[in-house]
Amino acid sequence: ILGKKGEELATEFLLKLGYQIIATNWHERKFEMDIIAQDQNQLVFVEVKTRSTSYFGNPAEAVTPAKQKHLVDGANYYIEKHEIDLECRFDVIAIIKNNNEQKIEHFKDAFYPEA
């Protein structure tokens, strides 16, 4: 439930920044993307990490190299399937959400695909 709420908050956050939301919670085969959006002439794949506390560090730290590779593979699949010819980037939105606090951090270009 917390993750779902985080994805909704992240979607609202991106819409306020002027992003066009293409898909939320997209999954096909073994791939999943929390949010696929367009920011001007860039296709943006957004991973949302939501936690109820920052006790164990910033939620963005949960986007490990293995997770990054999986996201890149999923993005490549999506791009090929939909024949997209746009520059792409990977963002991470980290959310701390509990009764007292709601903090959203947006990391643009959070990581780059390995060459």
Side-chain angles (χ1 to χ4, degrees), residues 41-58:
N41 62 345
Q42 284 188 317
L43 189 65
V44 186
F45 296 94
V46 184
E47 178 69 9
V48 181
K49 290 295 178 192
T50 309
R51 301 286 184 269
S52 58
T53 174
S54 59
Y55 182 79
F56 295 104
N58 188 304

Side-chain angles (χ1 to χ4, degrees), residues 22 26 36 43 45 74-82 84:
I22 295 169
W26 173 84
I36 301 170
L43 189 65
F45 296 94
N76 286 333
Y77 174 83
Y78 184 89
I79 289 164
E80 285 176 25
K81 180 175 183 195
H82 296 277
I84 293 170

